[in-house]
Amino acid sequence: MNQFLIILTIFISLPFLLDVVVSLLDRSHKTKPIPDNVKDIYDEAQYKKWVFYSTEKNNKKLLSKSLSLILQLSILLFGGYQVIETISTNLSDNIYVINLLIVVIYGIILYVLSIVFEYIDTFIVEEKHGFNKTSHARFIKDQIIELFITGILGGGLLVLLTFIDNKVENMFYMYLFSILIVVIVLFNILFVKWIMPLFYKMSPLEEGALKDKITALSKISGYELSQIVVIDASTRTTKLNAFFSGFGKTKKVMIFDTLLNELTEDEICAVIAHEIGHANYNHMFKDMAKTVVNLALYTFLFYLLATSNIIGNNLEITEYFGFVVIVFVLLLSPLGIVTKIITNIISRKHEYQADAIAVDYGFGNEMITALKKVGRSNLASLTPHPLFVFMKYNHPPISDRVEALENKIQTSKK
């Protein structure tokens, strides 16, 4: 086994091994005492249900990742790439088609495994615990739509990059970076308007007391909302959520209908105030800036790999652009852990800032009760291991958020 193959094997295996370690540490924390400020979220029966649910979810994730790792290593170490190249070149001699076939064949192999576990997660684990509301027909429809979108966007991007790679040579990095920036910005702008309606029915919030309260809140905050949209999430899940979407005059508040059914009007206003807090701190643009920085790093590393000839020299395959994409994703996994940790640290800070804004607008206590209701409904972990939080959480644990909110409420009274 050559040195590059050993390095690639380590890079593929490292994220999985780290996942196993932090997951086992987190599992050991399930027996820790629940913090006093969130003890009222679960009664004893609900707590046992949470432990059972989280254990099942983690076991499924570890099994899925284990089989995925075995599959990826098998393809790498036992001639899988050579077989994919042979099939692709036998089917076409067009460079664009060959690159598409390489990525599609590799992707289908992994997709089959992932769809099996997604089915298990949806119709066995989630359904057993009362979360799933998705029908089999809707599940199949969603998968078809996702594959179509992925094929159009991913396939189109791969063809475009193949064309650029053949034409501009040394300027490839700058073209790649610029194109990806445009794609990400357009995706964020068009996601709610064009993509989400393919999966969900969305309708304006009905006239009434709640809309009047949210409108008044937006005026007080100085944050103009173009629309408050209700998403029919109850057709798929019982979990609760709300978020902001869009830029400038396209800003919208997106609310799951499940949230409307479970929270009081003031608690919903607290959630909206929290989302307005994100806007007040320009978190969306800061997140976009983080994405740009990460993208600059990733595209530069991709450029180095694409121009190094290291793949063809070490894996006994022709260095088609499709193989560069596949190998790059594998090599990127450990770096992705580091960048995710950094972005999660920033994201958790943003959540504390947005929570504090909810207090400033007079919804501190309602934000606390809303967090507890969301945590109860979503079976949130109340005793996560600190390392698990550090590596995986983009929101602080509920106990930490409640503590920060209580301190902010006390400070604002002085």
Side-chain angles (χ1 to χ4, degrees), residues 92-100 162 166 320-321:
S92 177
D93 57 3
N94 182 285
I95 186 65
Y96 297 100
V97 177
I98 290 173
N99 279 321
L100 281 172
T162 301
N166 290 333
Y320 288 110
F321 197 79

Side-chain angles (χ1 to χ4, degrees), residues 209-220 223 225 228:
L210 175 59
K211 186 172 182 179
D212 291 342
K213 287 183 178 181
I214 295 175
T215 302
L217 174 61
S218 67
K219 289 180 179 179
I220 293 170
Y223 189 83
L225 303 175
I228 304 165

